[in-house]
Amino acid sequence: PEWITPRSKCKLNMAAPDEKKIPIFTVDAFTDKPYAGNPAAVCLLEDVDLTNKQQQKIAAEMNLSETAYLRRLHADDNFSSSSTFGLRWFTPTNEVALCGHATLASAAALFYMMKNPSPQLTFQTLSGDLFAKREGDFISLDLPENTTQPQDKEAYSQLLKVVVGMVPVRDVNFSTVGDVLVRLTDDATRQTLESLRPDTAAMLAAHTQNVIRGVIVTLKGSPENGCVDNQGVTYDFISRYFAPWNGIPEDPVTGSAHTVLASYWAKELGKTEFYARQCSTRGGDLKVRLRGDGRVDVAGKATVVLQGAIRI
């Protein structure tokens, strides 16, 4: 309005003296280039305890697939030198029990922005203790393996029709974390996978026999089907991940989904170390290793693209 002078505008925009703020970062995970990979917000809860409602509101405001909240476990802990923290993840609509890319983003915020020198970080989460350590230019996450069980394709016929249309499906599996894993036949190509455009509203309406966290669509990699990186190196497998049940039409790069994919592809390919790509529009590359002790190492790069403070 005309009555608001430049000086009064400044006063209106100023935070109240007793208004609290928390540090926040936006980190692109599983990429070394800004505006690629999977973005996550990371909040550092230094001297405040946020309610679940506040955390959910901030996640909705950030409107990224996940917002992570790091908290100190003891009064004398600090983000620049301690090595163990509490960690929770919220989508714009709900809290989730596991999120790989926001864990990678959290480790990157501590390593790169807070200059934390710890060789390994421990995160106490709803999925137990998770670990992150530096491996050269990569950050490697130690996550729980999520095994899969074969399913009758007919039980998922409506969902498959919505997600892949007429593209032939080799098999369907259901994972311990609640993901449906859909493998395309080996004659499909990377272009086939990248051209899928599922109607997320129809996905939500499709009948299934299980409670679903998300749908992974995957394809075995080969030079012939276009599954190679910019250097000509072949991906062992590629994938996409759709999770409208958690407010995420498509997740750009999903670390937790690769705890499912590693378990599945180890049996199919007879190996335990993989080079993988998630083929969303933003996309990202991952190094994945199934350890054999019920854990999966998921490694990727990360870059911080925004630093600031958010009012609470």
Side-chain angles (χ1 to χ4, degrees), residues 2-75:
E2 293 180 359
W3 55 268
I4 298 181
T5 65
R7 178 171 293 184
S8 63
K9 285 182 181 179
C10 292
K11 289 181 179 179
L12 287 173
N13 290 330
M14 288 174 59
D18 60 346
E19 191 169 39
K20 292 185 177 180
K21 299 179 181 179
I22 56 174
I24 189 167
F25 306 92
T26 298
V27 183
D28 289 342
F30 297 113
T31 182
D32 57 357
K33 298 178 177 61
Y35 322 123
N38 199 353
V42 180
C43 297
L44 306 185
L45 305 185
E46 294 178 312
D47 56 356
V48 295
D49 284 323
L50 299 183
T51 65
N52 289 350
K53 186 176 181 179
Q54 286 175 309
Q55 291 177 86
Q56 188 62 72
K57 282 187 173 182
I58 291 172
E61 178 73 16
M62 298 309 297
N63 200 32
L64 297 173
S65 56
E66 265 86 13
T67 295
Y69 296 92
L70 284 165
R71 69 183 185 280
R72 299 179 304 170
L73 298 178
H74 307 98

Side-chain angles (χ1 to χ4, degrees), residues 88-105:
R88 296 173 72 182
W89 312 276
F90 286 76
T91 77
T93 61
N94 59 278
E95 185 174 11
V96 293
L98 179 64
C99 180
H101 88 275
T103 305
L104 184 70

Side-chain angles (χ1 to χ4, degrees), residues 173-186:
N173 284 256
F174 193 76
S175 76
T176 50
V177 78
D179 289 330
V180 176
L181 187 151
V182 179
R183 177 180 174 182
L184 303 182
T185 55
D186 293 346

Side-chain angles (χ1 to χ4, degrees), residues 167-168 184 187-196 219 225 240:
V167 177
L184 303 182
D187 57 354
T189 66
R190 177 175 177 173
Q191 184 179 10
T192 304
L193 179 62
E194 292 180 342
S195 66
L196 297 178
L219 173 67
N225 67 9
R240 291 176 68 187

Side-chain angles (χ1 to χ4, degrees), residues 195-228:
S195 66
L196 297 178
R197 298 290 183 269
D199 181 335
T200 53
M203 289 178 67
L204 291 171
H207 171 74
T208 64
Q209 62 183 15
N210 298 93
V211 176
I212 294 177
R213 185 185 82 139
V215 175
I216 305 167
V217 185
T218 188
L219 173 67
K220 179 182 176 182
S222 73
E224 293 74 26
N225 67 9
C227 294
V228 296

Side-chain angles (χ1 to χ4, degrees), residues 73-138:
L73 298 178
H74 307 98
D76 57 349
D77 286 347
N78 68 79
F79 292 112
S80 296
S81 62
S82 300
S83 60
T84 303
F85 304 94
L87 177 60
R88 296 173 72 182
W89 312 276
F90 286 76
T91 77
T93 61
N94 59 278
E95 185 174 11
V96 293
L98 179 64
C99 180
H101 88 275
T103 305
L104 184 70
S106 299
L110 295 173
F111 284 145
Y112 303 153
M113 304 306 295
M114 304 307 295
K115 308 301 181 184
N116 192 306
S118 303
Q120 177 172 287
L121 300 171
T122 301
F123 300 117
Q124 296 182 0
T125 79
L126 290 176
S127 291
D129 286 354
L130 308 181
F131 309 95
K133 60 183 178 181
R134 301 176 192 256
E135 289 187 355
D137 293 337
F138 286 76

